[in-house]
Amino acid sequence: MNPKDFAISLDLINRHYQEPNRNRFESKYFWEELYPLIATAGFSAIEIPYEPVWQFGGRSGVPMNRYCINTKYASAAQYREVLKQSGIERVTGVTFDPNLFMRNDNIHFYFGASGHFAGEALAHAADLGADYFAISPSPYYGRIKQYHPDIDAQIEMFTDRTVELLNGLAAKAEELGVKLVLRNEYWSLFGGERVLPLLARLPESVGLDVDTASLSVAGIDPVQFITANIARIGCVHLTDTSFVDSNETWKTPTPNTHRAMPRKCSAIPAPVRSISPRLPQRSTSSATPAP
């Protein structure tokens, strides 16, 4: 196991519900005090979740979009230099969650906003020299259902538009030299093995982002899944939970906060996004992913 193959996600910092208060989260110094602690813990790489909402904060210190980084560091290059001085050698990836844009009954708004900001996030990943851009291909099923009660009858349309959006991102990712990977977010329309038919409709350049907890919740053996799909895997998120969804909790409005979902990693505020190791390039003869 090579520690350099692992990154730790800044999503481990729960910006929404835990201390300190929002003013400190939005301060540049909070994050610059954090980087040396990450390096001391043995990680020389980080993963950054893309969150456009922070650009509307008064302090703009949360390094999770291009606006904030350019405001505080003038450029992504200078931000990367600050990381290096703190012991962080690189940003392995940027993640994108479209739930923010499922907020009304206008499906055109969702796809328009998701496409625009996903494009911004992808460019942000390229600015940071990231290896991959990981996208959850849909919002949570329950969230979609809240605004579109007929989603079960509209899944074919929703899937077709998702494929169109992802094909555009795949072309842009190839231009920028960043690998586009689809996350098997369990709570989404394409969680667990449901992501595979979607992946089959996309170019070979698009890979899988395997989230091990999302597989476990679905009752899928992560080792078997990774082995079976090794050729298309771009990265792995090592997450953990003992919860298995035997009651279709994923279809409820707020499934990831369901009280029946215990977690082995109690220090992690969500069952996703903890540590993201890079896998070897596909040309390697290794039959199993790192580590």
Side-chain angles (χ1 to χ4, degrees), residues 120-289:
E120 278 291 299
L122 180 53
H124 184 48
D127 290 347
L128 294 172
D131 300 321
Y132 61 85
F133 173 64
I135 184 170
S136 299
S138 92
Y140 297 156
Y141 172 88
R143 188 173 179 87
I144 302 174
K145 187 85 171 178
Q146 178 181 0
Y147 296 109
H148 301 277
D150 62 341
I151 185 60
D152 290 332
Q154 299 295 325
I155 283 181
E156 184 176 352
M157 175 277 298
F158 194 96
T159 302
D160 288 344
R161 295 199 63 172
T162 300
V163 168
E164 180 182 5
L165 186 153
L166 292 173
N167 271 320
L169 291 174
K172 184 172 183 177
E174 285 202 77
E175 291 176 8
L176 295 173
V178 178
K179 187 171 186 61
L180 176 66
V181 291
L182 303 187
R183 190 165 216 160
N184 62 311
E185 185 91 64
Y186 176 72
W187 320 107
S188 78
L189 282 178
F190 309 105
E193 292 180 326
R194 297 190 301 274
V195 75
L196 297 178
L198 179 67
L199 183 68
R201 296 180 61 179
L202 299 174
E204 286 291 325
S205 62
V206 180
L208 272 175
D209 170 7
V210 177
D211 183 297
T212 52
S214 283
L215 291 175
S216 297
V217 172
I220 300 168
D221 186 310
V223 174
Q224 291 182 9
F225 183 89
I226 290 173
T227 302
N229 297 285
I230 188 69
R232 294 286 305 256
I233 293 176
C235 68
V236 174
H237 280 80
L238 294 177
T239 53
D240 196 9
T241 180
S242 61
F243 177 66
V244 175
D245 187 4
S246 57
N247 197 34
E248 294 198 323
T249 303
W250 71 283
K251 291 186 176 181
T252 59
T254 55
N256 63 332
T257 57
H258 196 278
R259 66 176 60 187
M261 189 174 65
R263 297 167 186 132
K264 291 179 181 176
C265 299
S266 58
I268 300 174
V272 295
R273 301 180 178 83
S274 58
I275 300 173
S276 56
R278 286 198 316 162
L279 290 175
Q281 298 299 309
R282 278 191 222 156
S283 58
T284 180
S285 60
S286 174
T288 55

Side-chain angles (χ1 to χ4, degrees), residues 12-38:
L12 282 169
I13 310 303
N14 187 340
R15 288 86 58 199
H16 308 290
Y17 303 111
Q18 72 179 25
E19 294 290 340
N21 60 39
R22 178 166 176 153
N23 284 347
R24 289 189 64 191
F25 279 131
E26 290 188 347
S27 299
K28 179 182 172 186
Y29 77 87
F30 173 84
W31 300 93
E32 292 187 352
E33 288 181 352
L34 180 66
Y35 302 137
L37 299 179
I38 291 174

